[in-house]
């Protein structure tokens, strides 16, 4: 919401490597297959590099520790 990334560096690096290895089509295909699960239209997924991210509805309190 305010541009703060809570986590996902490993996921981002994995996606970069996968795209460099030519696996972008497979990533996009899997996302298109499961699009309904995430509440998105499969035909709205762009042809370029894609990554699924979660956007929080509520403000994030970084002082709260979850075990």
């Amino acid at each position: 919401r305010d541009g703060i990334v809570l986590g996902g560096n490993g996921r981002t690096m994995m996606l970069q490597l996968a795209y460099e290895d030519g696996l972008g089509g497979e990533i996009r295909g899997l996302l298109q297959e499961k699009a309904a699960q995430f509440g998105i239209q499969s035909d709205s997924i762009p042809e370029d590099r894609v990554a699924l991210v979660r956007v929080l509805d509520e403000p994030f309190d970084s002082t709260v520790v979850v075990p």
Side-chain angles (χ1 to χ4, degrees), residues 19 23-25 27-29 31-32 44-51:
Y19 280 111
L23 299 173
I27 294 168
R28 188 177 308 102
L31 185 53
Q32 286 173 325
S44 69
I45 298 170
E47 291 296 318
D48 53 355
R49 292 181 174 207
V50 295

Side-chain angles (χ1 to χ4, degrees), residues 20-34:
E20 288 172 11
D21 288 344
L23 299 173
E26 290 183 43
I27 294 168
R28 188 177 308 102
L30 288 170
L31 185 53
Q32 286 173 325
E33 286 176 23
K34 298 181 180 284

Side-chain angles (χ1 to χ4, degrees), residues 11-61:
R11 187 171 36 251
T12 301
M13 292 180 345
M14 180 277 307
L15 283 169
Q16 286 175 338
L17 290 172
Y19 280 111
E20 288 172 11
D21 288 344
L23 299 173
E26 290 183 43
I27 294 168
R28 188 177 308 102
L30 288 170
L31 185 53
Q32 286 173 325
E33 286 176 23
K34 298 181 180 284
Q37 282 180 261
F38 304 114
I40 57 176
Q41 298 281 344
S42 62
D43 59 355
S44 69
I45 298 170
E47 291 296 318
D48 53 355
R49 292 181 174 207
V50 295
L52 185 64
V53 297
R54 180 181 302 168
V55 177
L56 301 178
D57 292 331
E58 301 294 324
F60 177 73
D61 183 355

